[in-house]
């Protein structure tokens, strides 16, 4: 038999530590700032929102952090995830490139999100927390955290952006099956929600509003903390299990990537796959690392590296990141997970240091790649993931033009079985590419005026 | 590290042949009969409906049949499927039983159905067929065949029971993503459909009507054949890859099942897992093999072994099988895949020979088990699969009562991400157990009057 189509890692070979890229950053990370004083915040400033053990991870400079046994036991419910070779796609593209992909769609929630939901639930539980709150847009994160909270016996309240709550009832049903309470946001249960509802009773809601409600609930309720599914350092940390597994699996077939590709909204699936390899790049290894974002929300390609709030309501510390401004609202887009105005500070800094190459793609190219993928590799991809697929197709075609046997490694971050309406819109010709006017971006960036500069 | 949670089989250890249990049946199979003459049909009688290479498999007595390379290449897109140990469920039940399950939900279509869709598409293609037709109820089969036809460049038309077409738009979108044409049945495109629509313009449709339309389309169109996703011998044959993989995986951890459990609608996922083990049972191995059906459609537990039609419109040959009568319409039930009036003749004969033990369960017990599963093992199960889960819970509890370290092997035939409305109905208390009145069964069985007896 020829090269395998799938490379399985045995459980005894699972990575036992997370990789913290903060220890290897060529440029030291700039600290988060207190929005009132403009001074770096300390761990105690975050204590009302997160448990101290996670805050310690957030600020840690240790290169390796042990994965607790209780976390490992839960990760083993689906990990190690298989590494696949996309031979059928290679054949369809007639490319000399070898395309590998990490299949993160095998998790119970269908994406990479549980990789951090599990440890976040665990550390909160260890800290004595009984209940978590979070927000969710399309529902990937809310369902992953619902699954994780159920496993550790924590209560969970999810504030789901109302328009998604109404349009994506299946995600809500997943959360309920895992025992979480999911309500549409804005809701009458928080001050922030009531204020919005009074002004705009028919608002479809937004991620910014939902974050405000979830944080308010967390800081005003007993034994409750808030949980975020991307952007923050400890989230990137937990996701590095993807890249560490992939490294071992690539080694099993004597391969090493020339190009690494992931889609990037808040940055976590991208960071999860790429950071363990970027570690090698920092130490001299030659490779390209591509973060793919939608042209309709071009955080890395069109926005400055700036200090900005993580939420619209300006309740979070100021984070040093690429940001389109905290009031930026991207046009409607099926890839709900890629609509965030900001970006992981770690990913942002690595883009500044030229270790990561950002790429913005339009949605028609992404859906075209996703349909080609479904019709060759079989799996139906999440709209977010389709951005990584489109970039992979580009790289494979370039390898063909150059006649090079390039090794591509891509993160297949999740399946699209709950997102088929986007495919329907694409296949029936109802989708078009939206070109964001430069003025719209410049207008949005005015929100950064007056904030400290990194 | 302790016993693994997942046992991966490497691709080079994949079974290379299908196992044909017809070669080992203690009682020879009774032949299908021509409904007009009452005489055994020959291969040529089936030729307008199926390609001759599949008909040869249908009647073959060879114990082992080679899997063609072209089929193997496509199966490798997701196979071998992992064998899981349900440790979290064991812990929750505090049982000494060891529960293993085969995860067939990892296929692109989300169930075991592609295991036969791929070879059926291949053999039709080999025979020069350009186009297939089929019917689908809940949509599992239609989407699996759409995926398979796409891979081999065949056209596919799916007649989908209208009520499902309207209520389950996502399954239709999966089929369209894989390039198939899916229309609601009854349709105005066939004589059978027009006749029904004339009489009952608002009919919700039925599997029986959809089969009639698909067969009519196949036999009246050029280069077209019909494809069936369960019941027939060649379908059971193709599914035996599940049990053969499982046998190798169990051996990797030095285990052999005391009890094998699968849900049974037409019988294919059940047969796929169990037949390679029943081969050992025929040759003296001591084990129990349990086929679980819904109490609302109690084919194996309440219906006779009889000759009956495969479809409502009486267009198929008479098959020797457990049947509730070809007009039997079970009450509404979320497990759409378990609503068939008949059963695989091979499974039926093995029940007659006491090699398989049938068990009928009510849906509340099944959903209870499925929610427990989601909240321990993580994965959300298809409503069909939940029947196997409930039987597994029963066996695990019995093992606890008896203090025995029993080894249970179960087929997790598919995920339930497209079937969350059933969970919603269960969790919100809207489901109840439906006890089929004995008179309703007896009434339905009158359809068997006047047909030949096996």
């Amino acid at each position: 038999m020829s090269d395998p189509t799938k490379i399985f890692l045995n459980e005894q070979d699972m990575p036992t530590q997370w990789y913290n890229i903060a220890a290897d950053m060529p440029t030291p990370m700039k600290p988060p700032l207190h929005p009132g004083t403009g001074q770096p915040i300390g761990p105690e400033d975050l204590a009302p929102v997160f448990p101290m053990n996670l805050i310690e991870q957030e600020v840690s400079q240790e290169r390796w952090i042990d994965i607790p046994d209780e976390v490992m036991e839960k990760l083993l419910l689906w990990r190690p995830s298989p590494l696949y070779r996309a031979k059928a796609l290679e054949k369809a593209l007639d490319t000399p490139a070898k395309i590998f992909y990490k299949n993160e769609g095998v998790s119970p929630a269908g994406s990479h999100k549980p990789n951090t939901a599990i440890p976040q639930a665990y550390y909160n539980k260890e800290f004595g927390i009984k209940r978590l709150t979070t927000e969710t847009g399309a529902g990937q994160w809310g369902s992953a955290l619902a699954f994780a909270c159920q496993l550790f016996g924590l209560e969970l309240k999810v504030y789901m952006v109302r328009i998604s709550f109404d349009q994506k009832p299946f995600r809500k049903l997943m959360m309920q099956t895992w025992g979480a309470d999911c309500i549409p946001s804005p809701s009458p249960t928080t001050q922030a929600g009531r204020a919005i509802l009074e002004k705009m009773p028919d608002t479809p809601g937004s991620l910014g509003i939902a974050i405000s409600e979830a944080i308010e609930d967390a800081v005003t309720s007993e034994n409750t903390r808030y949980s975020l599914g991307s952007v923050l350092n400890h989230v990137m940390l937990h996701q590095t299990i993807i890249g560490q597994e992939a490294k071992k699996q690539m080694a099993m077939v004597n391969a090493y990537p020339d190009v690494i590709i992931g889609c990037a909204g808040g940055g976590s699936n991208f960071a999860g796959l790429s950071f363990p390899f970027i570690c090698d790049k920092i130490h001299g290894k030659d490779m390209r690392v591509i973060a793919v974002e939608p042209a309709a929300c071009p955080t890395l390609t069109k926005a400055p590296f700036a200090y900005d709030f993580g939420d619209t309501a300006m309740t979070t510390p100021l984070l040093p990141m690429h940001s389109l401004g905290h009031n930026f609202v991207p046009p409607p887009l099926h890839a709900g997970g890629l609509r965030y105005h900001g970006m992981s500070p770690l990913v942002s800094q690595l883009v500044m240091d030229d270790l990561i190459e950002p790429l913005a793609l339009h949605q028609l190219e992404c859906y075209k790649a996703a349909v080609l993928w479904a019709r060759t590799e079989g799996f139906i991809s999440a709209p977010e993931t389709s951005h990584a697929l489109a970039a992979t197709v580009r790289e494979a075609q370039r390898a063909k033009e150059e006649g090079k046997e390039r090794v591509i490694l891509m993160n297949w971050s999740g399946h699209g079985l709950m997102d088929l309406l986007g495919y329907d819109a694409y296949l029936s010709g109802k989708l078009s590419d939206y070109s964001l006017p430069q003025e719209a971006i410049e207008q949005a960036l005015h929100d950064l005026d007056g904030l400290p500069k990194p």
Side-chain angles (χ1 to χ4, degrees), chain A residues 193-445:
Chain A
R194 283 191 298 272
I196 298 279
L197 285 173
E198 209 161 287
K199 275 189 277 181
M200 302 181 285
D202 296 325
T203 176
S206 78
L207 214 47
I209 299 168
I211 295 180
S212 304
E213 288 200 88
I215 293 181
E216 179 188 326
D217 181 338
V219 301
T220 58
S221 306
E222 247 179 273
N223 285 321
T224 301
R225 290 294 183 279
Y226 166 74
S227 173
L228 188 65
S230 194
V231 180
L232 299 179
N233 300 345
H234 66 273
V235 179
M236 306 298 130
L237 176 79
H238 300 153
Q239 294 291 356
T240 59
I241 196 155
I242 303 172
Q244 291 187 73
E245 285 177 10
K247 243 184 179 180
K248 292 190 177 200
Q249 288 163 314
M250 297 289 282
M252 287 165 71
V253 289
N254 300 312
Y256 193 94
D258 299 306
V259 189
I260 292 177
I261 297 171
C263 63
S268 77
N269 96 75
F270 169 78
L273 178 66
S274 66
F275 280 9
F277 292 95
I278 292 179
C279 172
D280 297 347
K281 186 169 180 175
I282 291 171
H283 294 99
K285 189 96 185 173
D286 182 33
M287 88 188 80
R288 291 169 59 217
V289 183
I290 303 175
V292 194
E293 62 185 12
C297 188
T299 316
L300 289 170
T301 50
K302 296 276 177 94
F305 182 64
Y307 268 115
D308 197 9
F309 294 98
D311 68 330
T312 312
M314 304 187 287
T315 55
T316 72
L318 292 166
L319 298 174
M321 59 182 179
H322 285 82
S323 175
L324 287 155
H326 50 271
N327 281 311
F328 178 76
V329 178
L333 182 69
H334 282 285
L338 304 182
R339 300 183 77 234
Y340 187 61
H341 69 273
M343 178 58 67
S344 148
L346 284 166
V347 171
S348 296
Q349 184 63 58
L350 291 165
V351 168
M352 293 302 290
D353 291 345
D354 286 331
L355 286 159
I356 294 170
E357 184 179 323
L359 174 69
L361 296 180
H362 283 99
Q363 66 179 357
L364 288 184
E365 181 178 349
C366 297
Y367 269 107
K368 186 180 174 193
V371 170
L372 175 63
W373 184 267
R375 293 181 179 185
T376 51
E377 292 296 314
F379 294 103
I380 294 176
S381 312
E384 292 81 5
T385 312
S386 75
H387 290 71
L389 299 181
T392 298
V393 168
R394 283 193 180 193
E395 285 301 319
Q397 284 167 337
R398 190 187 306 197
K400 184 181 179 186
E401 285 157 22
E402 298 173 2
K404 289 202 174 140
E405 198 193 78
R406 191 165 286 149
V407 176
I408 301 171
L409 172 62
M410 191 255 301
N411 202 11
W412 197 74
S413 54
H415 66 65
L417 297 180
M418 323 299 277
D419 309 282
L420 285 160
L421 294 176
Y423 283 84
D424 189 35
Y426 172 73
L427 290 169
S428 54
K430 287 179 201 144
L431 282 194
S432 58
D433 281 336
Y434 184 89
S435 286
L436 203 62
Q438 189 59 32
E439 307 82 65
I441 296 175
E442 278 161 25
Q443 185 61 39
L445 293 177

Side-chain angles (χ1 to χ4, degrees), chain A residues 115-146:
Chain A
N115 297 334
T116 185
I118 297 280
Q120 287 197 47
Y122 166 77
Y123 285 112
N124 274 283
K125 172 91 172 180
E126 278 295 292
F127 195 68
I129 301 304
K130 307 282 187 212
R131 179 173 172 272
L132 289 181
T133 67
T134 198
E135 77 291 332
T136 199
Q140 288 272 18
W141 169 243
S143 51
L145 193 60

